[in-house]
Amino acid sequence: MDTLPVASGDAAEPLTPAQLRELYSLMVAVRHLDTSAIAWQRQGIIPGYAPELGQEAAQVGSGYAVDTTRDFVFPTYREMGVARTMGVDMVAYMSTHKATWHGGLYDPQESRLAPIQAVVAGSVLHAVGWAHGQTLAGTADGKLGVAMTYFGDGASSQGDVHEALNFAAVMNAPVVFFVQNNGWAISVPTERQVAGGSVAARAAGYGIPALQIDGDDVIAVVEATRRAFAHARSGNGPVLIEAMTYRRGPHSTSDDPGRYRSLDEERDGAGMDPLERLKQRLLADGIADEAFFAEALAAAKAEEEQIRTGIQALGSRPGTEMFDLVFQETTPALQAQAANWREESEHV
Amino acid sequence: MSNSTLESGKVHTPASTTVMSMQQALNRALDEVLAENPRTLIFGEDCGRLGGVFRITDGLQAKHGEQRVFDTPLAESGILGMSVGLAMAGFHPIPEVQFDGFAYPAINQIVCQIARMNYRSRGTLPMPITLRVPSFGGIRAPEHHGESLEALFAHVPGLKVVSPSNPHEAYHLLKYAATRPDPVIFMEPKSRYWQKGEVDTASHDADGGSPTGAKVMRAGRHLTLVAWGAMVARCLQVAELAAEDGIEIEVLDLRWLKPIDTAALAASVRKTRRAVVVHEAPLTSGLGAEVAQLITQSCFDTLKAPVERVTGFDVPYPSGDLEDEYIPNIDRILFGIQRVLEYKRG
Ligand SMILES: Cc1ncc(C[n+]2csc(CCOP(=O)(O)OP(=O)(O)O)c2C)c(N)n1
C-alpha cells in the first residue's frame, strides 16, 4: 500500500555505497548491543531489557532519515536501534534498563529523543503537539522540523492513537507515524489485535497518506522514511508508515514466547534476517567485502564492551534526586519529606 | 479476634489447608469462580493463551474455553468500557489491567461510567465488575509498573477497594469480590505473588470474622500497625523485631480499603492506644490520612499520641535502584513507632 505522493528532490536520491556501508555498520552495532543486553540481563548486570532482534532494519532505516538539527523523535521502550542511529549516548540510554532512572539519562532536548516511554502509545499525541508547534513557530526556510513517533501494532489499538491521527490530519501537522508491526503484542498476534490486518489502511479514514513497507529491507525503510519526512517538512501534513517486520526474540527478558508460538512459527514468521539481507545485497553489488563485514563486527564488539563498562560503572543516582527533580519549584511538604528521609536513612 | 494461629498454622491445620503461592491461590479462586458461575468472564491483555504476564489466569482458557477467558486488543479504556456493556447484559466481568500504571488510560471508564451506572440507573443497572490490578512496587519494574492507586480508587464514589496480603486472603477475598453485585477494585500486591503460605479453602476466617472486615494478623498491646497488601508482611517483620525489645505490636490488615472496617480499627486502637499507618503510596492525601482521621474520631479520648504515617513520598515512583528508599522499610517503620511511643503531650 502506498498512498503517499511520489517523492522529489533529495528524498528521491538513491543511497550511495558509503551510506549503504554505514547502514550496515549501524545495524551490526545495534544487533550486537541488543543481543549483548540480553546476555547482561542473564548475567545480572541489568534487571531487564526489551529486545529488538529482527527489527534492526526498521529502526536503523527510519532513524537514518532524522535530521537531529531540526527533527524530534518520540520512542517507546524498544527503540534502542533508533537511538543508536541518532547518535544518542548509549550508556545514558541503557541506564533505564539498568533501573537507574526511568526514561534514561540522556538529555532529550540535546539528543532530540524524548525520554523512553513505558506506556504503550503514550507519546503518540506528544508528537502531534510538538509537530503542530513547528507549524505555529514557522521556519525561515519554509522547511519544518518533523516529529516522528514510534509505536507497535498493539499500541495502535489505543484510543490515543486514533485521536493523534485525527488531530494530526486536522492540523496538518508535520508528523511521521512510524508503526513497527512486528507481528506480536506480547502474546497476541496482529490478526487478533488489528481488525483488517493493517494499521496503514486506517490512515485513509483520517485522510493521511500511508505506506506499508517491507520493514526488514533497510533500503526500503530509508527511502520510505525520507519520502515521508520530505512530505511533512514541506508543510503537506502527516504520513503513516507501517513497517512490516517480526519480533524474533521474546517481548522482554521476562517473557516466554514458547507459551504462545512454536519454533516453526517463529522461523516461518521471521523470514530472512535483515542483516543478512543487506549483506547479500552489498556483496552482490560489490559495495563491500568480507573484510568490511569483519571490521564492522569488530567495531561493534569494541563498542559493546565500552558501553558495558560504562553501564557497570554507573552507580545509583543519589536518593536526593528523587525529591529534587519532582518540580522546578519544590514544595514545603516535599522539602520536609526529603529532610526526614535524609535523617531516617542516615544519609545526612 | 486474633488470627495469628491461622496465619502461623502452628496450632490446628484443617484437612482443607494447602500450601500455595499467592499466584496459585488467585488462579484457583478464578478457576472456581468460573466453574461456579457461568456468567463470569475473564479478559484483558495476554490473559488468555499466555495466562497473563504474572500467570494468574494460567490454564483458565484451556479449561473454560475461549468464550469465557479471552485476550482483548491492547486498549484499557476498551477493556473497562466493554465491561460496562457486558455487565448490563447480565455477565460478571473479571477484567484485568496488566499493571497498575495502565489503569490510568481506563480511568475515564472506571470513574465516569463503572462507578456511576448503578446510581445513574437508580439501581437497575448494577455493575458486578471485579477489576484485578497487579499493584504496588517492590519488583524493580519499569516505569508505570508499580503504582499505589488505592486512594485514587477509594476516593471515587461507587467503587469498592480491597487488597489481599497473603495467599489465604487472596483466595478468599477474590472469591468474595467476584460474587458481589458492585464494582470492586482488587489490588494484588505483585511483590507477594510468589510468596507461599497456607490456604484453608474451606474457611476464610476460622473465628467467624466478616469477609468485609479488617483482620488482626498479630495481637499486641502497645501499638497498632495498620497496613494492607505487601506492607502487612513487612509490618509483621517489624512486630517480630520490636518484640525482642519487649514492645508488643498489633498488626491490623485492613483488607478492605473501601469501605474501611472502622469498628475493627477502633477496637484495636482502643486496646493499644497508639497507631501507625504504613502504606507504599505517597503521603499527601494518601489513605493513611483517612485511616488516621477514623482513628482520631473513634479513639480521641484514649489515644496517647497522634496517629503517625510511614509512607512512600510525594515523588513519582522511582526506578529500581531507588525503590528501597521509597517503599517504607523496617527502619522507617521503627522510626514511626518510636515517634509515637516517645510522644509527650505539650
Ligand atoms: C497502556 C499500556 N498497557 C499495557 C502495557 C503493557 N505492555 C507493554 S508492551 C505491550 C505490548 C505492546 O505491543 P506493541 O504495541 O505491538 O509493541 P511491541 O511490544 O511489539 O514492540 C503491553 C501489553 C503498557 N506498557 N502500556
Side-chain angles (χ1 to χ4, degrees):
Chain A
M1 179 197 302
D2 184 344
T3 60
L4 183 67
V6 203
S8 58
D10 292 353
E13 292 286 317
L15 290 158
T16 67
Q19 288 174 324
L20 290 168
R21 281 192 297 268
E22 190 187 3
L23 283 168
Y24 184 84
S25 298
L26 284 165
M27 283 171 69
V28 170
V30 168
R31 165 70 56 91
H32 197 70
L33 183 53
D34 187 64
T35 44
S36 298
I38 298 176
W40 300 349
Q41 193 271 337
R42 307 291 186 235
Q43 294 157 11
I45 298 174
I46 58 175
Y49 178 69
E52 53 139 305
L53 187 70
Q55 299 180 220
E56 294 87 355
Q59 300 209 353
V60 170
S62 55
Y64 200 69
V66 176
D67 174 354
T68 50
T69 67
R70 63 165 87 215
D71 302 327
F72 210 101
V73 171
F74 296 80
T76 65
Y77 44 81
R78 206 189 290 289
E79 271 68 70
M80 187 273 283
V82 179
R84 171 63 184 83
T85 306
M86 289 171 65
V88 175
D89 180 306
M90 281 290 111
V91 173
Y93 180 90
M94 283 291 177
S95 64
T96 199
H97 299 298
K98 177 95 189 294
T100 309
W101 200 262
H102 289 317
L105 290 170
Y106 55 89
D107 179 341
Q109 293 287 13
E110 193 188 271
S111 64
R112 315 297 282 177
L113 184 70
I116 292 162
Q117 174 65 254
V119 181
V120 152
S123 58
V124 183
L125 278 158
H126 310 173
V128 177
W130 189 91
H132 186 57
Q134 303 310 294
T135 313
L136 293 176
T139 53
D141 62 0
K143 291 189 167 182
L144 298 163
V146 175
M148 177 152 60
T149 171
Y150 287 86
F151 56 98
D153 47 316
S156 77
S157 299
Q158 292 276 328
D160 274 7
V161 169
H162 298 267
E163 295 184 21
L165 290 169
N166 192 44
F167 273 48
V170 164
M171 294 170 158
N172 204 44
V175 42
V176 175
F177 296 94
F178 195 93
V179 184
Q180 284 177 89
N181 186 338
N182 65 10
W184 296 89
I186 309 189
S187 71
V188 179
T190 303
E191 63 268 23
R192 303 288 307 154
Q193 181 74 245
V194 182
S198 158
V199 182
R202 291 180 184 167
Y206 300 99
I208 295 176
L211 296 159
Q212 196 181 48
I213 59 169
D214 179 348
D216 292 339
D217 175 357
V218 73
I219 299 169
V221 177
V222 175
E223 285 171 359
T225 318
R226 282 184 167 179
R227 272 178 73 195
F229 267 77
H231 183 83
R233 207 183 288 297
S234 316
N236 300 311
V239 179
L240 187 146
I241 297 173
E242 184 177 20
M244 306 307 286
T245 176
Y246 193 85
R247 194 196 79 215
R248 289 165 179 254
H251 166 74
S252 74
T253 43
S254 10
D255 180 35
D256 170 15
R259 280 184 162 251
Y260 51 84
R261 70 188 188 198
S262 68
L263 284 175
D264 279 347
E265 281 169 333
E266 215 165 280
R267 200 197 49 239
D268 294 347
M272 191 175 176
D273 180 348
L275 249 82
E276 191 55 29
R277 255 170 89 162
L278 182 60
K279 183 175 178 179
Q280 296 307 332
R281 171 78 185 263
L282 295 183
L283 281 170
D285 292 356
I287 289 173
D289 55 14
E290 289 297 343
F292 167 79
F293 298 122
E295 215 173 286
L297 182 60
K301 283 184 173 165
E303 181 181 318
E304 180 270 323
E305 209 169 294
Q306 224 176 0
I307 297 165
R308 175 167 37 78
T309 311
I311 280 279
Q312 285 178 298
L314 199 67
S316 297
R317 302 304 304 173
T320 43
E321 287 189 355
M322 196 164 57
F323 301 96
D324 294 344
L325 297 173
V326 182
F327 296 114
Q328 296 277 331
E329 293 174 331
T330 192
T331 65
L334 204 48
Q335 279 174 307
Q337 288 177 31
N340 269 342
W341 167 81
R342 237 180 257 119
E343 210 172 290
E344 295 188 346
S345 319
E346 291 170 339
H347 289 301
V348 195
Chain B
M1 47 158 259
S2 166
N3 281 91
S4 52
T5 51
L6 178 72
E7 288 314 302
S8 66
K10 272 176 208 140
V11 185
H12 166 67
T13 305
S16 50
T17 294
T18 348
V19 172
M20 55 178 108
S21 66
M22 185 182 281
Q23 174 265 336
Q24 288 168 324
L26 291 165
N27 182 261
R28 175 146 173 194
L30 290 174
D31 187 12
E32 291 175 9
V33 166
L34 284 168
E36 285 159 17
N37 179 358
R39 287 170 305 142
T40 50
L41 303 172
I42 290 175
F43 51 91
E45 293 156 16
D46 304 288
C47 60
R49 193 161 174 193
L50 184 67
V53 293
F54 290 109
R55 308 285 185 263
I56 307 303
T57 54
D58 196 13
L60 298 181
Q61 182 176 69
K63 187 163 170 188
H64 299 277
E66 292 184 13
Q67 303 273 328
R68 308 214 30 223
V69 181
F70 54 94
D71 288 321
T72 64
L74 210 179
E76 291 76 12
S77 186
I79 292 166
L80 274 302
M82 184 173 140
S83 300
V84 173
L86 280 166
M88 286 181 179
F91 290 92
H92 191 130
I94 311 179
E96 172 186 288
V97 297
Q98 203 160 70
F99 286 88
D100 33 33
F102 310 128
Y104 292 121
I107 285 290
N108 171 40
Q109 286 296 334
I110 297 172
V111 175
C112 301
Q113 306 303 331
I114 291 176
R116 287 163 180 253
M117 197 56 86
N118 189 72
Y119 189 75
R120 186 184 285 150
S121 68
R122 305 177 63 79
T124 60
L125 295 174
M127 290 285 118
I129 296 168
T130 312
L131 170 59
R132 290 186 37 251
V133 188
S135 293
F136 316 114
I139 61 164
R140 279 172 79 80
E143 196 174 12
H144 303 295
H145 293 67
E147 306 265 308
S148 303
L149 302 176
E150 63 269 40
L152 198 145
F153 287 132
H155 192 62
V156 179
L159 298 179
K160 293 176 181 171
V161 187
V162 64
S163 185
S165 59
N166 64 38
H168 178 80
E169 295 299 325
Y171 172 82
H172 287 284
L173 289 173
L174 184 53
K175 284 203 79 174
Y176 183 78
T179 50
R180 296 303 95 203
D182 287 314
V184 178
I185 312 290
F186 193 85
M187 301 179 69
E188 299 167 3
K190 56 177 99 79
S191 67
R192 305 294 298 171
Y193 271 150
W194 314 109
Q195 223 66 42
K196 293 201 166 173
E198 285 186 354
V199 178
D200 178 357
T201 50
S203 163
H204 190 183
D205 296 309
D207 58 5
S210 155
T212 56
K215 188 163 168 179
V216 174
M217 291 300 195
R218 178 189 174 110
R221 61 195 174 96
H222 294 135
L223 181 143
T224 301
L225 280 178
V226 185
W228 50 90
M231 287 299 99
V232 173
R234 186 153 294 176
C235 287
L236 287 169
Q237 269 179 296
V238 168
E240 197 74 35
L241 287 172
E244 291 170 14
D245 294 331
I247 301 165
E248 293 173 31
I249 287 182
E250 178 146 311
V251 178
L252 185 73
D253 179 355
L254 209 53
R255 302 203 296 194
W256 287 86
L257 312 179
K258 188 182 183 180
I260 289 175
D261 182 355
T262 312
L265 255 189
S268 176
V269 180
R270 285 204 157 275
K271 182 172 70 169
T272 64
R273 307 182 70 181
R274 295 179 175 92
V276 176
V277 196
V278 180
H279 63 63
E280 292 186 44
L283 177 76
T284 301
S285 300
L287 214 58
E290 180 68 27
V291 173
Q293 166 58 13
L294 291 172
I295 293 173
T296 306
Q297 214 173 346
S298 50
C299 310
F300 186 68
D301 51 342
T302 51
L303 274 180
K304 289 211 166 178
V307 180
E308 273 289 338
R309 292 178 285 171
V310 179
T311 70
F313 303 111
D314 293 357
V315 308
Y317 195 89
S319 199
D321 279 358
L322 291 177
E323 193 172 60
D324 292 340
E325 304 282 1
Y326 175 88
I327 301 175
N329 56 29
I330 288 176
D331 281 348
R332 281 176 53 211
I333 299 170
L334 286 169
F335 274 118
I337 291 170
Q338 196 181 3
R339 285 198 296 275
V340 172
L341 290 176
E342 291 175 358
Y343 178 81
K344 295 266 181 306
R345 275 174 205 276

